[in-house]
Amino acid sequence: MVFYYLGYIYSVYESEIKRKLSYKIKECIIALATISFVFLVGHYNFATINDNLHGILLRACCSIMGCISFFSLISIKEDGILGRGLIWIGNNTLEIYVVHLLIVGAIYVQNKMNFMSCQGILSVLSIGLVVMIVSCIISTMLNKNSILKKVFCGK
């Protein structure tokens, strides 16, 4: 009989319990991601870390944690330009990654450049912005052709 009453009470308040529980879980994940991101950035120099498995995993974890904390801590409305842009990027992530890899492989950067100087920071930002814009344009063109979409992205 006790289980019947507990089941009835749970069914009455199920949506409220799930809503509060999911909100708390999201808060915990965001807090953990932000703390992890700050810890990783504070303890590792990602510009000089080796390209072995350990370094790749650290960079990947740091990138994922940074994205989770950044995009969850800012409020994004789907009807705004930023929200629509992020939704488009989310829907076309695979194409952007494929094209990005092809473009970055073709770019040659001088080995003697000091990336911690003003010139280095500006060159990294400008190259990154150009690569991002070109990747988005090319991925949009790839999506318009069904054969190229299958060849490059398997969709």
PDB file of all heavy atoms in Angstrom, residues 100-113 115 119 123-124 126-128 130-131:
ATOM      1  N   HIS A 100      37.859  22.477 -42.460  1.00  0.00           N
ATOM      2  CA  HIS A 100      38.864  23.135 -41.625  1.00  0.00           C
ATOM      3  C   HIS A 100      40.183  22.379 -41.682  1.00  0.00           C
ATOM      4  O   HIS A 100      41.255  22.971 -41.796  1.00  0.00           O
ATOM      5  CB  HIS A 100      38.346  23.220 -40.184  1.00  0.00           C
ATOM      6  CG  HIS A 100      39.260  23.921 -39.252  1.00  0.00           C
ATOM      7  ND1 HIS A 100      40.271  23.284 -38.578  1.00  0.00           N
ATOM      8  CD2 HIS A 100      39.324  25.215 -38.864  1.00  0.00           C
ATOM      9  CE1 HIS A 100      40.907  24.144 -37.831  1.00  0.00           C
ATOM     10  NE2 HIS A 100      40.363  25.326 -37.974  1.00  0.00           N
ATOM     11  N   LEU A 101      40.114  21.051 -41.602  1.00  0.00           N
ATOM     12  CA  LEU A 101      41.318  20.232 -41.666  1.00  0.00           C
ATOM     13  C   LEU A 101      42.031  20.407 -42.999  1.00  0.00           C
ATOM     14  O   LEU A 101      43.255  20.519 -43.046  1.00  0.00           O
ATOM     15  CB  LEU A 101      40.970  18.763 -41.440  1.00  0.00           C
ATOM     16  CG  LEU A 101      42.115  17.776 -41.442  1.00  0.00           C
ATOM     17  CD1 LEU A 101      43.029  18.047 -40.260  1.00  0.00           C
ATOM     18  CD2 LEU A 101      41.595  16.365 -41.382  1.00  0.00           C
ATOM     19  N   LEU A 102      41.281  20.467 -44.088  1.00  0.00           N
ATOM     20  CA  LEU A 102      41.892  20.656 -45.406  1.00  0.00           C
ATOM     21  C   LEU A 102      42.543  22.031 -45.533  1.00  0.00           C
ATOM     22  O   LEU A 102      43.633  22.164 -46.097  1.00  0.00           O
ATOM     23  CB  LEU A 102      40.836  20.473 -46.502  1.00  0.00           C
ATOM     24  CG  LEU A 102      40.264  19.066 -46.645  1.00  0.00           C
ATOM     25  CD1 LEU A 102      39.116  19.066 -47.645  1.00  0.00           C
ATOM     26  CD2 LEU A 102      41.337  18.096 -47.069  1.00  0.00           C
ATOM     27  N   ILE A 103      41.896  23.062 -45.002  1.00  0.00           N
ATOM     28  CA  ILE A 103      42.429  24.427 -45.120  1.00  0.00           C
ATOM     29  C   ILE A 103      43.663  24.602 -44.237  1.00  0.00           C
ATOM     30  O   ILE A 103      44.681  25.156 -44.667  1.00  0.00           O
ATOM     31  CB  ILE A 103      41.345  25.458 -44.767  1.00  0.00           C
ATOM     32  CG1 ILE A 103      40.249  25.433 -45.821  1.00  0.00           C
ATOM     33  CG2 ILE A 103      41.932  26.849 -44.660  1.00  0.00           C
ATOM     34  CD1 ILE A 103      39.060  26.286 -45.473  1.00  0.00           C
ATOM     35  N   VAL A 104      43.587  24.137 -42.996  1.00  0.00           N
ATOM     36  CA  VAL A 104      44.707  24.321 -42.072  1.00  0.00           C
ATOM     37  C   VAL A 104      45.933  23.551 -42.554  1.00  0.00           C
ATOM     38  O   VAL A 104      47.064  24.002 -42.373  1.00  0.00           O
ATOM     39  CB  VAL A 104      44.296  23.905 -40.640  1.00  0.00           C
ATOM     40  CG1 VAL A 104      45.479  23.824 -39.712  1.00  0.00           C
ATOM     41  CG2 VAL A 104      43.279  24.883 -40.103  1.00  0.00           C
ATOM     42  N   GLY A 105      45.712  22.413 -43.207  1.00  0.00           N
ATOM     43  CA  GLY A 105      46.835  21.655 -43.738  1.00  0.00           C
ATOM     44  C   GLY A 105      47.565  22.395 -44.841  1.00  0.00           C
ATOM     45  O   GLY A 105      48.754  22.161 -45.074  1.00  0.00           O
ATOM     46  N   ALA A 106      46.887  23.316 -45.501  1.00  0.00           N
ATOM     47  CA  ALA A 106      47.500  24.056 -46.604  1.00  0.00           C
ATOM     48  C   ALA A 106      48.177  25.343 -46.144  1.00  0.00           C
ATOM     49  O   ALA A 106      48.906  25.966 -46.903  1.00  0.00           O
ATOM     50  CB  ALA A 106      46.447  24.394 -47.649  1.00  0.00           C
ATOM     51  N   ILE A 107      47.957  25.752 -44.900  1.00  0.00           N
ATOM     52  CA  ILE A 107      48.529  27.002 -44.400  1.00  0.00           C
ATOM     53  C   ILE A 107      49.929  26.745 -43.854  1.00  0.00           C
ATOM     54  O   ILE A 107      50.165  25.789 -43.123  1.00  0.00           O
ATOM     55  CB  ILE A 107      47.640  27.612 -43.304  1.00  0.00           C
ATOM     56  CG1 ILE A 107      46.308  28.048 -43.897  1.00  0.00           C
ATOM     57  CG2 ILE A 107      48.326  28.795 -42.638  1.00  0.00           C
ATOM     58  CD1 ILE A 107      45.343  28.583 -42.866  1.00  0.00           C
ATOM     59  N   TYR A 108      50.840  27.622 -44.206  1.00  0.00           N
ATOM     60  CA  TYR A 108      52.216  27.527 -43.696  1.00  0.00           C
ATOM     61  C   TYR A 108      52.475  28.737 -42.815  1.00  0.00           C
ATOM     62  O   TYR A 108      52.295  29.878 -43.235  1.00  0.00           O
ATOM     63  CB  TYR A 108      53.225  27.488 -44.846  1.00  0.00           C
ATOM     64  CG  TYR A 108      54.648  27.523 -44.371  1.00  0.00           C
ATOM     65  CD1 TYR A 108      55.229  26.402 -43.793  1.00  0.00           C
ATOM     66  CD2 TYR A 108      55.411  28.680 -44.475  1.00  0.00           C
ATOM     67  CE1 TYR A 108      56.534  26.435 -43.340  1.00  0.00           C
ATOM     68  CE2 TYR A 108      56.712  28.716 -44.034  1.00  0.00           C
ATOM     69  CZ  TYR A 108      57.272  27.590 -43.464  1.00  0.00           C
ATOM     70  OH  TYR A 108      58.559  27.624 -43.000  1.00  0.00           O
ATOM     71  N   VAL A 109      52.881  28.503 -41.583  1.00  0.00           N
ATOM     72  CA  VAL A 109      53.201  29.588 -40.649  1.00  0.00           C
ATOM     73  C   VAL A 109      54.688  29.522 -40.359  1.00  0.00           C
ATOM     74  O   VAL A 109      55.254  28.441 -40.201  1.00  0.00           O
ATOM     75  CB  VAL A 109      52.391  29.431 -39.340  1.00  0.00           C
ATOM     76  CG1 VAL A 109      52.740  30.532 -38.363  1.00  0.00           C
ATOM     77  CG2 VAL A 109      50.910  29.439 -39.631  1.00  0.00           C
ATOM     78  N   GLN A 110      55.314  30.679 -40.259  1.00  0.00           N
ATOM     79  CA  GLN A 110      56.745  30.720 -39.970  1.00  0.00           C
ATOM     80  C   GLN A 110      57.013  30.094 -38.605  1.00  0.00           C
ATOM     81  O   GLN A 110      56.292  30.326 -37.648  1.00  0.00           O
ATOM     82  CB  GLN A 110      57.238  32.166 -39.961  1.00  0.00           C
ATOM     83  CG  GLN A 110      57.125  32.859 -41.278  1.00  0.00           C
ATOM     84  CD  GLN A 110      57.522  34.321 -41.154  1.00  0.00           C
ATOM     85  OE1 GLN A 110      57.848  34.796 -40.082  1.00  0.00           O
ATOM     86  NE2 GLN A 110      57.491  35.028 -42.275  1.00  0.00           N
ATOM     87  N   ASN A 111      58.073  29.304 -38.539  1.00  0.00           N
ATOM     88  CA  ASN A 111      58.430  28.665 -37.270  1.00  0.00           C
ATOM     89  C   ASN A 111      59.021  29.642 -36.266  1.00  0.00           C
ATOM     90  O   ASN A 111      58.980  29.412 -35.073  1.00  0.00           O
ATOM     91  CB  ASN A 111      59.425  27.522 -37.508  1.00  0.00           C
ATOM     92  CG  ASN A 111      58.779  26.374 -38.238  1.00  0.00           C
ATOM     93  OD1 ASN A 111      57.571  26.206 -38.171  1.00  0.00           O
ATOM     94  ND2 ASN A 111      59.578  25.595 -38.937  1.00  0.00           N
ATOM     95  N   LYS A 112      59.596  30.740 -36.736  1.00  0.00           N
ATOM     96  CA  LYS A 112      60.291  31.662 -35.850  1.00  0.00           C
ATOM     97  C   LYS A 112      59.376  32.720 -35.242  1.00  0.00           C
ATOM     98  O   LYS A 112      59.831  33.580 -34.526  1.00  0.00           O
ATOM     99  CB  LYS A 112      61.421  32.344 -36.611  1.00  0.00           C
ATOM    100  CG  LYS A 112      62.490  31.375 -37.080  1.00  0.00           C
ATOM    101  CD  LYS A 112      63.579  32.088 -37.796  1.00  0.00           C
ATOM    102  CE  LYS A 112      64.618  31.081 -38.280  1.00  0.00           C
ATOM    103  NZ  LYS A 112      65.689  31.722 -39.012  1.00  0.00           N
ATOM    104  N   MET A 113      58.078  32.653 -35.517  1.00  0.00           N
ATOM    105  CA  MET A 113      57.174  33.663 -35.004  1.00  0.00           C
ATOM    106  C   MET A 113      56.960  33.469 -33.500  1.00  0.00           C
ATOM    107  O   MET A 113      56.781  32.352 -33.026  1.00  0.00           O
ATOM    108  CB  MET A 113      55.828  33.590 -35.713  1.00  0.00           C
ATOM    109  CG  MET A 113      54.871  34.670 -35.278  1.00  0.00           C
ATOM    110  SD  MET A 113      53.276  34.556 -36.097  1.00  0.00           S
ATOM    111  CE  MET A 113      53.739  34.829 -37.786  1.00  0.00           C
ATOM    112  N   PHE A 115      54.537  33.633 -30.750  1.00  0.00           N
ATOM    113  CA  PHE A 115      53.086  33.680 -30.653  1.00  0.00           C
ATOM    114  C   PHE A 115      52.595  34.429 -29.422  1.00  0.00           C
ATOM    115  O   PHE A 115      51.427  34.727 -29.301  1.00  0.00           O
ATOM    116  CB  PHE A 115      52.509  32.259 -30.659  1.00  0.00           C
ATOM    117  CG  PHE A 115      52.607  31.601 -31.993  1.00  0.00           C
ATOM    118  CD1 PHE A 115      53.516  30.594 -32.207  1.00  0.00           C
ATOM    119  CD2 PHE A 115      51.809  32.003 -33.034  1.00  0.00           C
ATOM    120  CE1 PHE A 115      53.622  29.989 -33.442  1.00  0.00           C
ATOM    121  CE2 PHE A 115      51.900  31.413 -34.277  1.00  0.00           C
ATOM    122  CZ  PHE A 115      52.808  30.401 -34.484  1.00  0.00           C
ATOM    123  N   GLN A 119      52.150  40.811 -32.355  1.00  0.00           N
ATOM    124  CA  GLN A 119      52.074  40.394 -33.749  1.00  0.00           C
ATOM    125  C   GLN A 119      51.619  38.939 -33.857  1.00  0.00           C
ATOM    126  O   GLN A 119      50.808  38.598 -34.716  1.00  0.00           O
ATOM    127  CB  GLN A 119      53.431  40.557 -34.423  1.00  0.00           C
ATOM    128  CG  GLN A 119      53.431  40.099 -35.865  1.00  0.00           C
ATOM    129  CD  GLN A 119      54.838  40.070 -36.449  1.00  0.00           C
ATOM    130  OE1 GLN A 119      55.818  40.288 -35.742  1.00  0.00           O
ATOM    131  NE2 GLN A 119      54.927  39.801 -37.739  1.00  0.00           N
ATOM    132  N   SER A 123      48.183  37.733 -35.626  1.00  0.00           N
ATOM    133  CA  SER A 123      48.236  36.824 -36.771  1.00  0.00           C
ATOM    134  C   SER A 123      47.420  35.563 -36.507  1.00  0.00           C
ATOM    135  O   SER A 123      46.721  35.077 -37.392  1.00  0.00           O
ATOM    136  CB  SER A 123      49.684  36.472 -37.112  1.00  0.00           C
ATOM    137  OG  SER A 123      50.263  35.714 -36.088  1.00  0.00           O
ATOM    138  N   VAL A 124      47.469  35.032 -35.290  1.00  0.00           N
ATOM    139  CA  VAL A 124      46.672  33.847 -34.970  1.00  0.00           C
ATOM    140  C   VAL A 124      45.179  34.170 -35.054  1.00  0.00           C
ATOM    141  O   VAL A 124      44.392  33.394 -35.614  1.00  0.00           O
ATOM    142  CB  VAL A 124      47.043  33.298 -33.575  1.00  0.00           C
ATOM    143  CG1 VAL A 124      46.044  32.278 -33.096  1.00  0.00           C
ATOM    144  CG2 VAL A 124      48.433  32.698 -33.597  1.00  0.00           C
ATOM    145  N   SER A 126      43.723  36.599 -36.821  1.00  0.00           N
ATOM    146  CA  SER A 126      43.315  36.868 -38.201  1.00  0.00           C
ATOM    147  C   SER A 126      43.271  35.586 -39.025  1.00  0.00           C
ATOM    148  O   SER A 126      42.324  35.373 -39.793  1.00  0.00           O
ATOM    149  CB  SER A 126      44.237  37.900 -38.846  1.00  0.00           C
ATOM    150  OG  SER A 126      45.562  37.414 -38.885  1.00  0.00           O
ATOM    151  N   ILE A 127      44.263  34.728 -38.870  1.00  0.00           N
ATOM    152  CA  ILE A 127      44.259  33.452 -39.601  1.00  0.00           C
ATOM    153  C   ILE A 127      43.076  32.599 -39.152  1.00  0.00           C
ATOM    154  O   ILE A 127      42.378  31.998 -39.972  1.00  0.00           O
ATOM    155  CB  ILE A 127      45.594  32.705 -39.412  1.00  0.00           C
ATOM    156  CG1 ILE A 127      46.713  33.415 -40.142  1.00  0.00           C
ATOM    157  CG2 ILE A 127      45.485  31.261 -39.901  1.00  0.00           C
ATOM    158  CD1 ILE A 127      48.098  32.871 -39.844  1.00  0.00           C
ATOM    159  N   GLY A 128      42.816  32.569 -37.848  1.00  0.00           N
ATOM    160  CA  GLY A 128      41.681  31.797 -37.340  1.00  0.00           C
ATOM    161  C   GLY A 128      40.358  32.292 -37.868  1.00  0.00           C
ATOM    162  O   GLY A 128      39.480  31.504 -38.230  1.00  0.00           O
ATOM    163  N   VAL A 130      39.823  34.032 -40.682  1.00  0.00           N
ATOM    164  CA  VAL A 130      39.739  33.741 -42.121  1.00  0.00           C
ATOM    165  C   VAL A 130      39.422  32.255 -42.350  1.00  0.00           C
ATOM    166  O   VAL A 130      38.563  31.911 -43.173  1.00  0.00           O
ATOM    167  CB  VAL A 130      41.044  34.165 -42.841  1.00  0.00           C
ATOM    168  CG1 VAL A 130      41.094  33.620 -44.244  1.00  0.00           C
ATOM    169  CG2 VAL A 130      41.170  35.668 -42.833  1.00  0.00           C
ATOM    170  N   VAL A 131      40.093  31.381 -41.629  1.00  0.00           N
ATOM    171  CA  VAL A 131      39.858  29.938 -41.786  1.00  0.00           C
ATOM    172  C   VAL A 131      38.422  29.585 -41.394  1.00  0.00           C
ATOM    173  O   VAL A 131      37.760  28.787 -42.063  1.00  0.00           O
ATOM    174  CB  VAL A 131      40.883  29.123 -40.966  1.00  0.00           C
ATOM    175  CG1 VAL A 131      40.484  27.665 -40.865  1.00  0.00           C
ATOM    176  CG2 VAL A 131      42.256  29.245 -41.584  1.00  0.00           C
TER     177      VAL A 131
END
